[in-house]
Amino acid sequence: MAADAPFNFVPVEASLGKCDNLLLQYFLNQFRKGYIRAGPHKVVLPVYHLNFAKALDDMEIRNEDVFVVSHPKTGTTWTQEMVWCIANDLDYEGAKQFLPERFPFLEHSSLFDYGDLLSRKPEITFPEYVTDSVKFISELPSPRFIKTHIPWELLPRQIREGTRSPKIIYVARNAKDTCVSYYHHSRLMEGYKGNFQDFCKLFLEDSLTFSPFWSHVMSFWNRRDQPNILFLKYEDMKKDLPSVIRKTADFLGKTLNDEQVETLADHLSFQNMKNNKAVNYEAVVEINKAHNLIDADGAFMRSGKVGEWKAVMTPELSDLFDHWTEKNLAGTGLAL
Ligand code: PPS
């Protein structure tokens, strides 16, 4: 365990939360060799995070950087594409480049954990934004566009301490749809082997990667008035995407006319994003399937709806989520 990292990293086994046994039972595989908890809220992270935690904490941040920050499955990719297109003056030609190359994922260096996979499958090659994402991002020219699922308390030190003020766009989504989407994603992309009921327990008991959910959301909601932070909601994007586009353009210091807003909203529609290879992660799913890395079917761009939880949650489970949500949102002014 890295001694010099500042976050009190502890192995999940040593900090057993109520459901950590389920995490270790159903969610250890070639992508996930173990878990740690970090920071004041005991954020769950894959153990490979330790390999780059110090580099990430020490990272040189630039005021021109633009971050999209989110809990997994809350509309990150959608927001990234919106932000990138606005910031790059609607360069739809440039947007044909694979999203992770132009908007890399900060803590994606999961191949540190792949060891035997790399020797078993030498035919798979991985770009640096996957093998060493922190280094890849450190060497990018400005303005950099950076995706992360890390909550405020674990962001690079210069952001936490306020010595740099990059633009941060945070996107949140209601807990039930987030959980359903996270379940499908975990089966399709991360090798989760349990059922939906157990996944919900893991979600509600703050035992999934990047949990706890509520302290994640609150760490940005409570900072929403900082001039460098914009707080968005998935549900607002579904309801009125043009308004969210305008608000985001304002935040990024860009002006768009009505026609440009309309064209961008069309580019960002679920159907267009589902068909867009630059953002739909179809290639990653194909690699997983071709190499039998994952035993699940589906698509990253799955259904893109609000309220899909109704089809899969029992009334009892839905009540549990509602009470949990009410308890955590009481007095915060946030409706989600
Ligand atoms: S990740 O892996 O954490 O980055 O995933 P993330 O991008 O946050 O979330 C994926 C969900 O967002 C949905 N999505 C969209 N919904 C509506 N419109 C558009 N354009 C859109 N693009 C992505 C995607 O379908 C996932 O949600 P679910 O509910 O699983 O369909």
Side-chain angles (χ1 to χ4, degrees):
M1 192 125 311
D4 49 355
F7 300 117
N8 297 322
F9 291 112
V10 288
V12 149
E13 295 85 329
S15 70
L16 271 183
K18 229 168 154 186
C19 278
D20 287 356
N21 58 331
L22 291 179
L23 182 70
L24 300 177
Q25 185 178 351
Y26 294 126
F27 221 156
L28 287 183
N29 53 55
Q30 59 201 338
F31 305 104
R32 297 291 174 77
K33 300 279 166 59
Y35 294 91
I36 50 165
R37 287 184 186 272
H41 289 98
K42 304 203 180 341
V43 177
V44 179
L45 296 167
V47 72
Y48 61 69
H49 193 89
L50 291 174
N51 290 306
F52 53 84
K54 179 149 181 8
L56 195 154
D57 192 45
D58 290 345
M59 200 174 151
E60 280 294 324
I61 301 299
R62 308 173 199 159
N63 286 332
E64 317 85 85
D65 289 340
V66 180
F67 281 75
V68 165
V69 188
S70 61
H71 182 282
K73 310 319 289 181
T74 55
T76 325
T77 314
W78 197 10
T79 306
Q80 283 177 273
E81 185 66 357
M82 172 178 71
V83 165
W84 193 92
C85 289
I86 295 171
N88 288 280
D89 301 319
L90 308 183
D91 176 9
Y92 294 117
E93 200 48 44
K96 288 183 179 159
Q97 187 185 15
F98 192 35
L99 183 66
E101 288 169 19
R102 54 191 161 90
F103 212 133
F105 184 16
L106 181 58
E107 63 280 11
H108 196 191
S109 295
S110 48
L111 293 191
F112 280 118
D113 216 27
Y114 277 31
D116 57 333
L117 173 68
L118 289 182
S119 50
R120 277 192 297 113
K121 302 273 183 191
E123 66 278 20
I124 315 181
T125 53
F126 295 94
E128 197 185 36
Y129 61 83
V130 173
T131 55
D132 195 346
S133 48
V134 175
K135 176 163 172 281
F136 176 80
I137 289 169
S138 299
E139 291 167 358
L140 284 178
S142 289
R144 300 183 297 186
F145 297 89
I146 303 169
K147 158 189 171 175
T148 181
H149 290 316
I150 294 178
W152 178 270
E153 68 200 69
L154 301 178
L155 284 178
R157 192 172 56 248
Q158 291 181 344
I159 302 181
R160 296 194 324 272
E161 292 180 352
T163 54
R164 295 285 189 285
S165 298
K167 288 204 158 48
I168 296 178
I169 296 105
Y170 186 83
V171 60
R173 186 181 191 182
N174 79 80
K176 292 177 185 175
D177 285 330
T178 301
C179 178
V180 173
S181 181
Y182 204 9
Y183 166 68
H184 288 285
H185 174 95
S186 298
R187 285 175 49 80
L188 185 68
M189 316 282 271
E190 318 275 4
Y192 172 71
K193 292 276 185 266
N195 62 26
F196 178 61
Q197 297 298 320
D198 283 333
F199 194 87
C200 289
K201 279 188 206 157
L202 284 162
F203 196 95
L204 289 163
E205 292 294 342
D206 299 329
S207 288
L208 286 165
T209 303
F210 300 112
S211 290
F213 180 75
W214 288 115
S215 62
H216 199 298
V217 177
M218 284 307 149
S219 70
F220 292 90
W221 175 249
N222 291 336
R223 291 179 171 82
R224 68 192 179 283
D225 293 332
Q226 274 183 215
N228 65 322
I229 294 186
L230 178 67
F231 189 97
L232 301 178
K233 293 188 209 170
Y234 179 96
E235 290 74 15
D236 291 342
M237 292 170 75
K238 284 294 295 185
K239 205 159 119 195
D240 187 355
L241 187 55
S243 292
V244 178
I245 289 174
R246 284 196 189 90
K247 196 193 221 188
T248 307
D250 265 3
F251 177 73
L252 293 172
K254 299 280 182 181
T255 309
L256 299 178
N257 64 33
D258 289 350
E259 195 190 331
Q260 288 170 320
V261 170
E262 201 181 311
T263 313
L264 180 56
D266 184 57
H267 175 77
L268 296 171
S269 73
F270 181 71
Q271 210 46 49
N272 282 340
M273 285 199 53
K274 193 174 172 62
N275 293 334
N276 180 353
K277 282 188 191 315
V279 299
N280 66 13
Y281 291 100
E282 206 174 87
V284 179
V285 174
E286 274 164 20
I287 289 177
N288 286 344
K289 283 184 188 157
H291 295 279
N292 294 321
L293 301 178
I294 293 283
D295 179 22
D297 224 356
F300 181 91
M301 295 292 169
R302 199 179 57 89
S303 78
K305 293 189 185 130
V306 175
E308 266 261 303
W309 60 266
K310 289 177 193 147
V312 287
M313 286 194 184
T314 60
E316 294 74 26
L317 186 54
S318 164
D319 281 352
L320 280 178
F321 269 88
D322 289 346
H323 291 141
W324 186 61
T325 300
E326 266 167 42
K327 191 177 95 192
N328 281 284
L329 290 184
T332 65
L334 175 63
L336 204 57

